[in-house]
């Protein structure tokens, strides 16, 4: 199988590329940097620039599946200009791929897009799964809506369309968990707010394998890419500290303090969402790291 991947050098992208190559699939990847175009066995790079509407049409030659992971990181301060970049990096890139497929003969049958759990509203008592229709009226919630709308247009080309709403990705290679570990290692770790807010997460290994499972089985629709066992912020911080053999003696950090430090982005630390991967379970996907203990035991060594 030949797979075209955007965002192939990101955290999830690298893990998925490695998994696909291990299983003898061929990767085409898009990059905005001509210096990052390398042609290796089963791994071929192509140039694109969504801002300028430029893309190497050869990238879709022989491609069966497109996995769209590209998008600016949400873990930077959300200035007005960066908010625009967060939306445009997801929407313009998907629109460019749509235009490419519409105008050129191809054999693409499946479009798989990353998405986010930010679409679900904050709630202390609601349990969300893929059948939930409530939408969070926040900036990030609106980003995800536009992101998914840009993916849905591929239905017009009679492609299967899948959207993986991904929670916090835990990995030793980067991402949120390493940022949580740093202050705990320095004996200044603590929870945020009440610490009761539920956080939905997934191990990097599991999210890459879930993408691969979707590719192999041609699954379509919405899938929550989260562990079956969300964890409270306080329990998460305590578990990390126990694996690091570090004490927690500082009081939890109030929300207003983090807002001063991080701006609007600080809401990510205080969101309270209990999200379950109902569809992943129904379609037979098996999580290797379903509990926070299993994940941290693998990551913190």
């Amino acid at each position: 199988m030949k797979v075209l991947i955007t965002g192939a050098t990101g955290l999830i992208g690298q893990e998925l590329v490695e998994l696909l190559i291990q299983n003898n699939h061929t990767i085409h990847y898009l990059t905005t940097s001509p210096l990052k175009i390398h042609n290796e066995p089963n791994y071929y790079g192509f140039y694109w620039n969504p801002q300028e509407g430029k893309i190497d049409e050869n990238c879709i030659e022989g491609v069966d599946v497109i996995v769209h992971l590209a998008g600016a990181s949400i873990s930077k301060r959300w200035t007005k200009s960066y908010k625009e970049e967060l939306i445009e990096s997801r929407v313009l890139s998907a629109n460019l791929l749509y235009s490419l497929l519409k105008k050129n003969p191809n054999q693409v049958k499946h479009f798989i897009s990353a998405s986010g759990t930010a679409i679900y509203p904050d709630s202390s008592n609601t349990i969300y799964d893929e059948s939930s229709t409530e939408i969070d009226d926040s900036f990030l919630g609106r980003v995800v809506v536009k992101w998914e709308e840009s993916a849905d247009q591929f239905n017009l080309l009679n492609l299967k369309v899948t959207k993986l709403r991904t929670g916090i990705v835990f990995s030793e290679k980067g991402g949120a968990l390493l940022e949580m570990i740093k202050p705990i290692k320095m004996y200044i770790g603590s929870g945020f707010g009440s610490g009761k807010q539920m956080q939905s997460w997934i191990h990097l290994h599991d999210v890459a394998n879930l993408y691969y499972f979707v590719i192999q089985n041609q699954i379509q629709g919405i899938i929550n890419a989260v562990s079956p066992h969300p964890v409270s912020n306080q329990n998460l911080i305590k578990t990390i500290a126990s694996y690091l053999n570090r004490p927690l003696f500082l009081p939890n950090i109030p929300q207003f303090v983090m807002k001063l430090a991080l701006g609007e982005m600080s809401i990510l630390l205080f969101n309270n969402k209990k999200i379950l991967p109902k569809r992943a379970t129904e379609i037979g996907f098996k999580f290797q790291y379903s509990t926070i203990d299993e994940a941290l035991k693998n990551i913190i060594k």
Side-chain angles (χ1 to χ4, degrees):
M1 187 182 296
K2 191 175 287 186
V3 182
L4 173 63
I5 300 181
T6 74
T9 58
L11 189 65
I12 296 174
Q14 290 184 64
E15 192 80 2
L16 179 58
V17 165
E18 185 177 333
L19 180 60
L20 286 165
I21 290 178
Q22 284 174 357
N23 286 277
N24 300 315
H25 299 291
T26 299
I27 306 299
H28 285 190
Y29 68 93
L30 288 164
T31 175
T32 57
S33 172
L35 297 176
K36 293 182 179 179
I37 295 176
H38 306 290
N39 291 325
E40 304 169 11
N42 296 333
Y43 189 61
Y44 304 95
F46 300 86
Y47 177 76
W48 75 335
N49 188 323
Q51 288 282 347
E52 298 178 2
K54 296 179 179 178
I55 188 167
D56 185 342
E57 296 178 357
N58 294 313
C59 70
I60 57 170
E61 184 178 346
V63 166
D64 305 288
V65 180
I66 296 176
V67 179
H68 183 39
L69 301 173
S73 170
I74 62 171
S75 58
K76 291 185 180 180
R77 185 176 282 269
W78 300 347
T79 61
K80 184 178 179 182
S81 61
Y82 195 66
K83 280 185 172 182
E84 292 175 1
E85 184 177 343
L86 282 169
I87 296 172
E88 289 182 354
S89 64
R90 289 157 170 80
V91 174
L92 290 182
S93 53
N95 290 347
L96 183 56
L97 290 168
Y98 176 81
S99 178
L100 176 68
L101 295 184
K102 188 175 181 181
K103 294 177 182 177
N104 294 276
N106 64 83
Q107 63 183 52
V108 178
K109 302 176 185 65
H110 196 176
F111 184 82
I112 302 168
S113 177
S115 182
T117 56
I119 197 167
Y120 299 113
D122 254 25
S123 177
S124 57
N125 47 36
T126 302
I127 298 174
Y128 297 109
D129 62 33
E130 292 86 352
S131 66
S132 303
T133 56
E134 301 94 326
I135 293 176
D136 188 34
D137 186 25
S138 65
F139 166 68
L140 268 191
R142 293 190 291 274
V143 169
V144 177
V145 168
K146 291 180 180 294
W147 198 358
E148 293 197 354
E149 286 174 349
S150 69
D152 287 337
Q153 67 185 321
F154 288 83
N155 284 308
L156 300 174
L157 301 176
N158 295 317
L159 271 63
K160 292 182 172 68
V161 174
T162 315
K163 296 166 286 189
L164 275 77
R165 294 176 175 171
T166 308
I168 306 169
V169 178
F170 286 169
S171 168
E172 75 277 9
K173 298 177 182 178
L177 183 64
L178 295 191
E179 297 306 313
M180 295 178 190
I181 286 173
K182 286 177 185 177
I184 297 174
K185 273 189 172 180
M186 298 169 63
Y187 295 91
I188 54 173
S190 64
F192 296 101
S194 69
K196 295 179 181 179
Q197 65 270 29
M198 299 301 294
Q199 298 183 317
S200 295
W201 61 277
I202 188 168
H203 192 289
L204 177 61
H205 174 89
D206 282 335
V207 72
N209 274 277
L210 181 54
Y211 270 96
Y212 186 46
F213 189 90
V214 166
I215 292 170
Q216 283 184 301
N217 295 282
Q218 301 179 40
I219 307 297
Q220 56 187 325
I222 296 168
I223 298 176
N224 288 336
V226 295
S227 156
H229 301 288
V231 63
S232 71
N233 175 261
Q234 196 67 41
N235 284 341
L236 174 58
I237 298 299
K238 284 182 177 179
T239 307
I240 294 172
S242 69
Y243 275 93
L244 292 171
N245 293 313
R246 294 291 193 272
L248 290 174
F249 53 84
L250 295 176
N252 284 12
I253 302 173
Q255 188 165 359
F256 79 89
V257 173
M258 295 311 298
K259 189 166 186 180
L260 288 172
L262 302 175
E264 191 177 350
M265 184 182 73
S266 63
I267 193 173
L268 296 172
L269 303 171
F270 299 90
N271 280 338
N272 186 14
K273 302 179 184 186
K274 189 172 185 179
I275 304 164
L276 298 180
K278 183 179 178 183
R279 281 211 65 212
T281 302
E282 288 175 345
I283 61 180
F285 179 75
K286 304 297 183 185
F287 289 86
Q288 185 169 345
Y289 304 100
S290 63
T291 68
I292 197 66
D293 277 300
E294 291 169 338
L296 294 179
K297 186 176 180 181
N298 172 258
I299 293 169
I300 301 176
K301 299 170 182 175

